Amino acid sequence: MALVLCTGVDPSVVRTRQLILERAGHVVIPALDEPSLIAACRQNKFEVAVVGQTTSAKIKRRIAGLIRECCQDAKVLELYTVSSGKVLEDADSWLEVLADVPQELAARVEALAAK
């Protein structure tokens, strides 16, 4: 079980991701904007931070920077689509998604948390 920060810009996609991860036994805290991300990092020690695939490249970089600054111990998992490609060169892991919420998400979070 890992404490996971789940970021994104689409509340319904973030919520679905949250439910998938919680069903797999993880504790998930969503963050849909910078203030909630910063507050969550100040109040928690995350093991994994998921950066959603529906987020623009510019926002992904901003989110990753905030995570590296405020949640220094969290491993960053970037979700991406074929059309967008990987954006975060310094992510700890990447997961290509074909749909809004990847089925492999829970397994990838578990693997990162175990490292």
Side-chain angles (χ1 to χ4, degrees):
M1 178 176 84
L3 180 57
V4 181
L5 175 65
C6 193
T7 71
V9 294
D10 183 331
S12 63
V13 173
V14 171
R15 179 67 180 142
T16 303
R17 252 189 255 133
Q18 179 180 1
L19 292 172
I20 288 171
L21 291 169
E22 287 175 345
R23 269 190 237 124
H26 303 291
V27 175
V28 181
I29 297 178
L32 298 170
D33 55 33
E34 283 188 33
S36 61
L37 186 150
I38 293 167
C41 286
R42 286 183 179 153
Q43 298 170 8
N44 300 279
K45 186 172 178 165
F46 293 103
E47 295 167 76
V48 178
V50 178
V51 179
Q53 75 277 13
T54 59
T55 308
S56 72
K58 180 179 178 181
I59 301 295
K60 277 187 174 187
R61 287 185 193 100
R62 177 71 181 143
I63 289 170
L66 287 170
I67 291 167
R68 295 290 189 211
E69 180 182 324
C70 301
C71 305
Q72 297 170 354
D73 294 332
K75 293 176 182 73
V76 175
L77 170 60
E78 178 188 8
L79 305 182
Y80 69 97
T81 61
V82 173
S83 61
S84 69
K86 296 176 185 175
V87 173
L88 304 177
E89 295 176 8
D90 67 338
D92 296 290
S93 188
W94 299 265
L95 181 59
E96 180 183 324
V97 295
L98 302 174
D100 284 341
V101 180
Q103 296 306 312
E104 303 87 24
L105 178 62
R108 185 63 57 95
V109 165
E110 187 68 35
L112 274 173
K115 288 184 179 180

